[in-house]
Amino acid sequence: MRDFLLDDADRAFRCEVRDFLRRELAPRASDIEDQQDWSAVKHVVRSLGEAGYLRLMFPELYRGPLAKPGLTHATVLSEEAAYINYAFETTIATALSCAYPLHRHAGERLRETYLDPILDGTAIGAICVTEPNVGSDSAGMETRIDFDAKTNEWVINGFKRYISNASVADVYIVYGTATDADPAHAGMTAVAVPATAPGVRFPRNYTFMGRRGCIVGEVEFNDCRVPADHLLGERGGGFRIMRGMFNFERAILGGSGLGVARSAFDIATAHAQRRRSFGQMLGCKQLIWEKIAQMSWRIDAAELLTYRATKMYDAGADGKALMKEAAMAKLVATETANFCANETVQILGGDGITKEYGRAEQVYRDARALTIVGGTSEVAKYLIASRDLPDIRINL
Ligand SMILES: Cc1cc2nc3c(=O)[nH]c(=O)nc-3n(C[C@H](O)[C@H](O)[C@H](O)COP(=O)(O)OP(=O)(O)OC[C@H]3O[C@@H](n4cnc5c(N)ncnc54)[C@H](O)[C@@H]3O)c2cc1C
């Protein structure tokens, strides 16, 4: 049964948000993919904000009809958006990853300035972790965040790359090191940096094989200064903030993977029931049945793992308790998206690799990023096993 872990209110919400995205996102999806039309992305972000959907994750800030909004609903939103256009979904998922630490760890003035506009859909957020020498090994980052007691400011120096929403975001959550602590992650610190702060530059954006329409690029901080109150949490508390953010982000990525996988599956099953081959419908062939069955059970497994993680979060599980389940959701859903996209292209044959006959080739290109962003599949496996082998500390 689909949606097994969701209750009636959750399912009704899915129908509502699906209708909304069909009206607002679907008509703009080809402009986002073909023209990389940022104004189309912004338009839909704004309408999601106006409808209150960007507040789902923050129950006390939510003003809509759901009795108990939460990560489950934000993930349903991600799943439904990724089904239509994964690039668009990454823009809102990234903005929520920025909103999460602002909501939990910022002072009131900072929340008013940066969080409220993101949740209203009038501002865009970004997260700056990855650097040229630091990807999976995020604890070893080289960006410095030093405090200047004379001016009462944080001074940021560093270079971040592969930053989603770079150059179009209004506010950046920047992680760096503020002390010479050993181990290095003990000095990790997070600050909020507005795009207009002195010393912020956006050297270039990248071209990717998929996710077209989501802008991803570099951000450079050169003696960039922000006021003292732009610190999130406390100095040296950045690693804990980042770990919490990644748990929530990985559960949402379960939704992204599911949306992309379901999109591929629907293309494949429609084709298998339409295309004739050797005198019969393609779907009659046992080798095609096998592919459909493989996709089907993987999607169900991904769905169960994803909504188990979100339901745990909504029930109050803390970051430590959620780490394994969130990593499993991300791992299985994003690997499933790749599996389904690949098999769909195969089922469609030539139609699968041209732009002339639908979206199979786009879904295939889009899916590829999923096992890399938000922590790779290899990192997710490490997180899972580290819970199963608690007495073993491996040096990655
Ligand atoms: C489209 C896109 C959007 C992104 N958006 C953002 C963003 O908004 N903000 C942000 O901060 N970052 C972002 N990233 C960066 C992303 O999080 C990193 O790409 C990812 O964490 C992997 O880091 P890396 O690319 O440096 O690969 P590396 O860390 O160099 O890894 C390369 C390969 O080696 C494997 N590997 C590494 N270490 C080990 C090990 N110990 N054992 C086994 N295998 C290992 C990895 O799993 C991977 O397969 C984005 C990336 C992409 C592609």
Side-chain angles (χ1 to χ4, degrees):
M1 181 192 179
R2 283 234 52 213
D3 286 348
F4 181 70
L5 292 178
L6 303 191
D7 63 25
D8 287 347
D10 301 335
R11 292 198 189 106
F13 173 77
R14 184 192 285 284
C15 293
E16 176 194 314
V17 83
R18 186 176 287 171
D19 284 349
F20 182 93
L21 291 166
R22 276 188 189 145
R23 270 196 321 274
E24 293 291 326
L25 176 59
R28 294 174 175 84
S30 58
D31 283 349
I32 294 172
E33 163 71 10
D34 299 335
Q35 322 295 334
Q36 304 194 42
D37 183 351
W38 177 248
S39 64
V41 173
K42 268 208 102 166
H43 174 93
V44 187
V45 171
R46 190 172 289 230
S47 38
L48 281 170
E50 279 167 9
Y53 290 135
L54 300 178
R55 294 174 177 266
L56 290 163
M57 275 195 46
F58 310 110
E60 77 277 17
L61 303 179
Y62 174 77
R63 294 189 286 260
L66 280 168
K68 282 189 188 159
L71 181 59
T72 298
H73 302 97
T75 305
V76 169
L77 171 67
S78 271
E79 182 187 340
E80 293 298 326
Y83 180 89
I84 296 172
N85 184 281
Y86 170 49
F88 172 78
E89 187 274 336
T90 62
T91 304
I92 50 168
T94 305
L96 289 180
S97 296
C98 176
Y100 176 90
L102 284 171
H103 176 252
R104 291 219 162 180
H105 304 287
E108 197 158 326
R109 198 175 75 84
L110 218 56
R111 284 169 57 149
E112 272 169 26
T113 312
Y114 301 122
L115 178 62
D116 290 348
I118 291 176
L119 301 186
D120 288 340
T122 54
I124 300 284
I127 294 291
C128 297
V129 175
T130 308
E131 302 178 357
N133 294 323
V134 173
S136 304
D137 179 18
S138 53
M141 57 182 63
E142 293 166 357
T143 293
R144 290 290 312 190
I145 301 181
D146 295 303
F147 191 64
D148 182 345
K150 283 196 205 109
T151 60
N152 208 24
E153 291 171 319
W154 294 99
V155 186
I156 305 137
N157 280 289
F159 192 95
K160 300 287 184 177
R161 66 169 186 160
Y162 294 143
I163 305 306
S164 301
N165 299 343
S167 78
V168 290
D170 301 278
V171 59
Y172 297 77
I173 305 300
V174 184
Y175 291 87
T177 180
T179 67
D180 296 319
D182 185 18
H185 73 253
M188 196 186 286
T189 297
V191 287
V193 178
T196 50
V200 183
R201 274 198 341 117
F202 306 102
R204 67 176 170 140
N205 292 333
Y206 301 114
T207 303
F208 284 99
M209 62 188 280
R211 283 189 19 149
R212 295 198 177 157
C214 176
I215 294 166
V216 182
E218 297 170 345
V219 189
E220 186 178 5
F221 302 94
N222 201 348
D223 277 336
C224 168
R225 288 173 175 266
V226 292
D229 70 353
H230 280 46
L231 174 72
L232 298 179
E234 53 199 42
R235 184 185 200 159
F239 192 70
R240 201 171 55 82
I241 296 175
M242 190 172 76
R243 201 170 51 189
M245 178 195 79
F246 273 138
N247 279 335
F248 126 80
E249 188 178 302
R250 288 188 183 115
I252 290 244
L253 270 158
S256 325
L258 261 179
V260 172
R262 274 183 38 228
S263 185
F265 182 76
D266 286 356
I267 296 169
T269 49
H271 188 82
Q273 293 172 90
R274 188 174 55 228
R275 175 84 173 159
R276 294 189 72 79
S277 185
F278 296 93
Q280 277 180 311
M281 243 183 317
L282 186 60
C284 296
K285 308 298 171 187
Q286 282 191 10
L287 286 176
I288 302 297
W289 275 63
E290 196 266 347
K291 291 187 196 304
I292 298 291
Q294 289 263 6
M295 285 195 255
S296 195
W297 68 255
R298 284 168 202 255
I299 289 173
D300 268 21
E303 183 185 284
L304 289 166
L305 288 172
T306 297
Y307 290 107
R308 176 180 73 171
T310 67
K311 290 276 175 188
M312 282 177 67
Y313 179 95
D314 290 337
D318 69 7
K320 220 169 179 183
L322 199 65
M323 187 181 84
K324 180 178 172 184
E325 284 74 12
M328 280 187 170
K330 199 267 174 186
L331 174 67
V332 174
T334 59
E335 292 288 346
T336 295
N338 274 278
F339 181 88
C340 292
N342 188 44
E343 293 294 49
T344 296
V345 165
Q346 195 63 23
I347 289 173
L348 266 69
D351 293 356
I353 50 175
T354 171
K355 289 182 184 294
E356 303 295 319
Y357 298 103
R359 294 177 61 245
E361 65 83 35
Q362 181 196 335
V363 173
Y364 179 84
R365 287 185 288 100
D366 279 351
R368 199 61 196 84
L370 278 160
T371 57
I372 296 169
V373 297
T376 62
S377 288
E378 288 78 6
V379 168
K381 286 175 191 166
Y382 164 70
L383 294 174
I384 293 164
S386 70
R387 278 280 174 275
D388 295 325
L389 301 169
D391 295 333
I392 299 179
R393 278 272 152 266
I394 58 168
N395 188 358
L396 280 174

